């Protein structure tokens, strides 16, 4: 039985209720979580505030950095353990689970080094005045985390907030809490003061909502779906609480006729099958120059047909989806495709070893998807790639920008001038040219435009969002 983690202690929720934890690879219950309620959020916020006032605000930036570096090293020692936890909890193939744990190591390392590099400025002003700016932490930050990459999103969000001098109350997704509860214990072991990192588990509409509404929360970092992001922003607006929203996407991979297809093809496939397509930045739309549409689809079709889906521990190309309702969501999209006569190019296959009770979905490549169809407009959050062709560069831009999202775009071309033109014209928080998120990008600011959200996390830029700027003007004559 898992407990909340408040003020460096595992605690039961006073609700007395629990949530079953299910292994997506076999659909079986193997643990239980606290189904917390608003009272538990109160406790966590109180512990955080106490920590802020008594301890955290008195540490120097260098001391905060040392703590974060110790946590990075501690997580590094526990990569295998954390990956195994994540694998069972979220159905991640071994390589992905390890990559997530290693990303967490890197986030804490990056933010450890950043703590004492964040500073204000002095500004030229009137004669007899000195003006300076200070970057001050918000105070107690609330972090609402999705289930698709719990460790990575915890690292970038909580890592950045702590580095900037905040203390944190975290609400992980009800499907993905176990690794974060363990990381909070590791933080206590390396010397984080009680109340710096608090974790309260439960349902979004219960504790997530209570966290977003809590008057003791000074800033909210929300990563999740666009619909819930709207609710969070509405709730936060009532008390003028600043919000960072990292939401969904329908990101295009745009392949021109002069692209290096040997480089593009594996990247296009990985961008839609990584984490079974349950990735905010999944490259879920494939826009292809009509001159190479048929040969590219033929090559991709051959590759899709070889993609294996199976239990996370088998470490195949694709693991299970997170839960039954997510599987149902993907089936609904695919049945809509059938009704609309959208042609299917190829599908992968589920291996014989996969238990029938697991949540398995074969990767699916669809072609000629009409731009107005929901498969070209909405986030499926499964391994479904929607391909369509474009006539020329203007048409490619028009299709790329034809959704309400703007998270990531991939551009594949050897033409340097076109690379820059496309990077400028595509409406997106990130544009990757001749790669798609290579290297993990801990150092690179990340976030969306339009319905993909606003604010930036990752990189040094995140620290500006996790602080507020105070201007001090002194008249000394
Ligand atoms: P979700 O919006 O359903 O849930 C996200 C979190 O919000 C969970 O912890 C959930 O419990 C909580 N929540 C749900 N309802 C709430 C409410 N009324 N009030 C407060 N909290 C509430 O999203 P999900 O299904 O967990 O995650 C998938 C989504 O996250 C996708 O849309 C994906 O694109 C997005 N995502 C975005 C990024 C990014 O960086 N832009 C990264 C990862 C995931």
């Amino acid at each position: 039985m898992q407990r909340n983690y408040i003020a460096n202690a595992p605690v039961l929720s006073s609700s007395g209720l629990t949530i079953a934890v299910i292994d997506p690879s076999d659909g079986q219950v193997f643990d239980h979580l606290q189904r917390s309620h608003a009272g538990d959020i109160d406790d966590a916020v109180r512990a955080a505030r106490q920590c802020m006032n008594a301890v955290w605000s008195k540490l120097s930036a260098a001391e905060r950095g040392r703590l974060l570096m110790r946590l990075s090293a501690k997580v590094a020692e526990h990569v295998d353990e954390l990956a195994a936890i994540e694998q069972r909890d979220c159905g991640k193939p071994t390589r992905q689970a390890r990559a997530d744990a290693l990303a967490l190591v890197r986030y804490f390392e990056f933010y450890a080094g950043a703590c004492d590099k964040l500073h204000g400025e002095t500004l030229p002003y009137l004669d007899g005045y000195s003006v300076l700016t200070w970057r001050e932490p918000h105070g107690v930050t609330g972090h609402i985390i999705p289930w698709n990459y719990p460790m990575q999103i915890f690292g970038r969000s909580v890592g950045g907030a702590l580095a900037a001098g905040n203390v944190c109350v975290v609400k992980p997704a009800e499907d993905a809490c176990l690794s974060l509860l363990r990381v909070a214990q590791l933080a206590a072991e390396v010397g984080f003061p009680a109340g710096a990192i608090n974790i309260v588990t439960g349902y979004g509409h219960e504790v997530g909502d209570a966290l977003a509404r809590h008057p003791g929360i000074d800033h909210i970092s929300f990563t999740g779906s666009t619909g819930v992001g709207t609710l969070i922003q509405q709730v936060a607006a009532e008390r003028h609480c600043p919000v960072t929203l990292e939401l969904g996407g329908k990101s295009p991979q745009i392949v021109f006729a002069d692209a290096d297809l040997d480089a593009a093809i594996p990247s296009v496939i990985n961008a839609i099958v990584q984490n079974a397509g349950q990735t905010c930045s999944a490259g879920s739309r494939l826009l292809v120059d009509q001159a190479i549409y048929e040969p590219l689809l033929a090559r991709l079709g051959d590759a899709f047909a070889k993609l294996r889906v199976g239990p996370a521990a088998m470490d195949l190309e694709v693991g299970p989806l997170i839960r039954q309702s997510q599987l149902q969501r993907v089936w609904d999209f695919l049945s809509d495709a059938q009704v609309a006569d959208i042609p299917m190019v190829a599908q992968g296959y589920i291996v014989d070893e996969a238990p029938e009770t697991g949540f398995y979905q074969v990767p699916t490549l669809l072609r000629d998807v009409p731009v107005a169809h929901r498969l070209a407009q909405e986030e499926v959050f499964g391994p479904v790639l929607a391909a369509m062709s474009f006539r020329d560069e203007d048409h490619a831009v028009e299709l790329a920008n034809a959704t309400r999202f703007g998270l990531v775009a991939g551009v594949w071309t050897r033409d340097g001038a076109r690379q820059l033109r496309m990077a400028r014209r595509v409406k997106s928080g990130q544009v990757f040219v001749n790669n798609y998120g290579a290297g993990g990008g801990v150092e690179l600011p990340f976030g969306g435009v339009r319905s993909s959200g606003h604010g930036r996390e990752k990189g040094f830029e995140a620290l500006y969002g996790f602080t507020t700027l105070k201007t001090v003007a002194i008249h000394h004559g």
Side-chain angles (χ1 to χ4, degrees):
M1 159 88 81
Q2 302 289 323
R3 295 165 187 229
N4 289 331
Y5 206 72
I6 298 176
N8 283 358
V11 285
L12 292 170
S13 165
S14 47
S15 73
L17 301 173
T18 59
I19 299 173
V21 180
I22 294 171
D23 179 346
S25 291
D26 61 14
Q28 304 303 309
V29 173
F30 69 95
D31 206 341
H32 286 85
L33 294 169
Q34 299 303 304
R35 179 175 167 181
S36 310
H37 65 147
D40 301 306
I41 292 287
D42 272 342
D43 292 346
V45 173
R46 203 172 309 113
R49 182 71 59 195
Q50 237 164 20
C51 175
M52 185 70 178
N53 294 342
V55 188
W56 198 248
S57 60
K58 301 190 178 7
L59 295 183
S60 69
E63 286 167 328
R64 289 201 307 273
R66 280 183 212 119
L67 270 175
L68 277 165
M69 195 59 98
R70 285 216 289 274
L71 182 53
S72 171
K74 189 77 171 174
V75 172
E77 286 166 21
H78 290 263
V79 160
D80 289 339
E81 180 200 345
L82 288 166
I85 292 173
E86 201 77 311
Q87 176 159 85
R88 187 142 195 225
D89 196 15
C90 303
K92 284 179 187 260
T94 312
R95 268 164 299 177
Q96 186 62 51
R98 279 184 59 80
D100 287 7
L102 289 169
L104 183 62
V105 172
R106 177 71 188 119
Y107 275 115
F108 289 145
E109 178 186 55
F110 178 85
Y111 285 117
C115 285
D116 57 358
K117 318 293 183 297
L118 180 68
H119 52 74
E121 296 179 318
T122 58
L123 311 180
Y125 198 51
L126 304 174
D127 183 38
Y129 282 77
S130 289
V131 179
L132 49 147
T133 56
W134 292 332
R135 290 241 153 237
E136 297 189 334
H138 294 290
V140 180
T141 49
H143 302 258
I144 301 177
I145 312 268
W147 46 260
N148 59 345
Y149 291 91
M151 281 194 277
Q152 296 216 28
I153 290 162
F154 182 89
R156 77 191 202 193
S157 160
V158 172
L162 291 168
N166 302 281
V167 290
C168 305
V169 178
V170 181
K171 207 303 275 177
E174 48 275 27
D175 292 302
C177 297
L178 305 192
S179 59
L180 302 190
L181 289 167
R182 181 72 182 117
V183 171
Q185 286 172 3
L186 297 178
E189 284 174 28
V190 300
F192 272 78
I197 302 173
N198 306 280
I199 307 219
V200 181
T201 65
Y203 290 121
H205 64 281
E206 295 177 351
V207 271
D209 183 68
L211 177 65
R213 285 180 196 279
H214 201 288
I217 293 290
D218 303 311
H219 175 278
I220 301 167
S221 161
F222 173 80
T223 307
S225 61
T226 300
V228 177
T230 305
L231 292 176
I232 298 286
Q233 182 148 312
Q234 283 167 346
V235 165
E238 283 172 22
R239 57 190 180 84
H240 308 287
C241 180
V243 176
T244 301
L245 295 180
E246 298 274 5
L247 308 179
K250 190 73 189 176
S251 298
Q253 289 262 41
I254 309 164
V255 187
F256 286 90
D258 68 342
D260 175 353
L261 294 187
D262 292 337
I265 285 173
S267 182
V268 164
I269 295 170
N270 184 58
I272 191 63
V273 302
Q274 178 181 323
N275 210 35
Q278 304 165 119
T279 303
C280 58
S281 54
S284 53
R285 291 186 297 147
L286 178 64
L287 315 184
V288 187
D289 192 322
Q290 62 186 11
I292 57 160
Y293 190 54
E294 296 302 336
L296 179 59
L297 285 188
R299 286 182 67 177
L300 279 171
D302 288 346
F304 262 69
K306 296 192 183 105
L307 293 170
R308 299 162 301 166
V309 186
M314 287 183 74
D315 201 21
L316 305 177
E317 291 82 31
V318 187
L321 299 186
I322 190 79
R323 58 174 126 80
Q324 182 63 39
S325 63
Q326 192 65 23
L327 194 55
Q328 185 61 50
R329 177 183 164 84
V330 177
W331 290 345
D332 289 347
F333 272 97
L334 290 176
S335 89
D336 281 0
Q338 239 175 356
V339 170
D341 282 332
I342 293 174
M344 183 188 295
V345 179
Q347 284 192 313
Y349 64 95
I350 299 174
V351 298
D352 293 341
E353 293 86 342
E356 279 184 7
T357 45
F359 310 135
Y360 299 103
Q361 169 60 43
V362 285
T364 303
L365 174 59
L366 301 171
R367 59 172 290 166
D368 312 338
V369 178
V371 65
H373 193 275
R374 64 189 290 247
L375 266 157
Q377 292 294 327
E378 295 173 31
E379 194 175 37
V380 176
F381 232 52
V384 180
L385 181 56
M388 59 196 83
S389 66
F390 61 81
R391 294 182 299 276
D392 54 23
E393 200 174 301
D394 285 342
H395 191 207
V397 172
E398 184 187 316
L399 291 176
N401 292 339
T403 74
R404 67 189 173 124
F405 296 107
L407 194 56
V408 173
V411 177
W412 297 87
T413 174
R414 289 185 165 100
D415 180 335
R418 175 184 282 151
Q419 292 170 2
L420 289 170
R421 282 195 303 271
M422 289 299 292
R424 282 202 187 277
R425 296 178 72 192
V426 171
K427 292 192 170 73
S428 179
Q430 291 65 228
V431 179
F432 296 117
V433 178
N434 293 337
N435 79 97
Y436 198 78
V442 165
E443 307 84 344
L444 312 182
F446 187 91
V449 297
R450 307 204 277 187
S451 293
S452 292
H454 51 73
R456 293 292 177 268
E457 292 188 346
K458 302 174 72 166
F460 200 83
E461 184 71 23
L463 302 184
Y464 299 124
F466 283 121
T467 51
T468 181
L469 192 76
K470 182 180 278 177
T471 305
V472 182
I474 304 167
H475 182 209
H476 40 65

